[in-house]
Amino acid sequence: ELGRSACRWARGVIFVNGGRLHFEPADEVRFGEGPAALVAGDFDRDGGCDVACASSEGGGLAVLVRDVVAPVSDDDAPLSWQRGPVTVHLVAVDGALGSGAARVYSRVDGDAWTSVSGASAAVTLRTWKRGGNSGEHLVEYYAVDAAGNAEDVRSCTVRLDARSPVTTDDTDGLPHATDVTVALSATDAH
């Protein structure tokens, strides 16, 4: 088995005559002289050690690349105020050479982290009776790939407003014998 203790590999296991193959990231060394040879080097130029298996008979080259890049996730949170409920979809992408997004973690307003297996998750925020839970809510999230690489925590703000506006007037509350002009004003908490 190659490199399991030294590196995390995106795909595959390599055996060389039943033994382990050791190399440094800067090395580019050919192993073997037969129809198949192993080549170690930094093929994707990420500073890590990658391995390629070249076949002289088939002319092919299979590269096993060590995944050192974290996935990148994004959200579809609306920018404007919403009456609710609002579902925010979180989607992680791990790139062409990545090992694949394994889990998406999320939390709302600093609560405990929850996770979902796979490359996507959904977070739903609701308002309660009489407009409870209205206001701005912070949704934090990040993804981890199959190689264990975690992205930095990202966030979005969800704005919920289920409270009706309040109208006030400037009347003095007394009866009047003539016409009176009344000014009305409306306020909204959000």
Side-chain angles (χ1 to χ4, degrees):
E1 182 175 353
L2 173 64
R4 289 264 176 163
S5 62
C7 301
R8 293 180 186 155
W9 295 92
R11 300 175 193 90
V13 175
I14 295 180
F15 295 91
V16 180
N17 296 329
R20 293 176 186 264
L21 178 63
H22 299 281
F23 57 88
E24 295 297 318
D27 291 346
E28 186 165 329
V29 181
R30 288 196 174 269
F31 299 92
E33 297 177 18
L38 295 178
V39 180
D42 186 8
F43 301 112
D44 59 355
R45 305 199 189 290
D46 66 357
C49 40
D50 308 322
V51 174
C53 179
S55 171
S56 60
E57 290 180 355
L61 177 68
V63 179
L64 302 175
V65 179
R66 183 174 66 114
D67 184 1
V68 297
V69 178
V72 176
S73 55
D74 203 3
D75 65 77
D76 66 352
L79 299 175
S80 60
W81 288 91
Q82 305 293 314
R83 182 166 176 80
V86 172
T87 298
V88 178
H89 299 94
L90 310 172
V91 178
V93 177
D94 198 27
L97 298 177
S99 57
R103 296 196 83 70
V104 176
Y105 292 81
S106 64
R107 69 179 180 179
V108 178
D109 295 333
D111 287 343
W113 289 99
T114 61
S115 70
V116 175
S117 182
S120 63
V123 177
T124 301
L125 293 95
R126 291 180 170 77
T127 55
W128 306 318
K129 289 183 180 179
R130 298 187 189 113
N133 205 35
S134 289
E136 292 186 341
H137 299 278
L138 180 67
V139 177
E140 295 174 285
Y141 59 93
Y142 68 95
V144 177
D145 65 17
N149 301 308
E151 74 174 319
D152 292 335
V153 174
R154 301 173 56 102
S155 66
C156 63
T157 300
V158 176
R159 295 166 179 89
L160 297 176
D161 182 8
R163 292 193 175 137
S164 300
V166 176
T167 304
T168 57
D169 60 63
D170 66 350
T171 65
D172 57 14
L174 301 173
H176 295 271
T178 60
D179 291 342
V180 176
T181 301
V182 176
L184 301 173
S185 61
T187 58
D188 191 7
H190 304 292

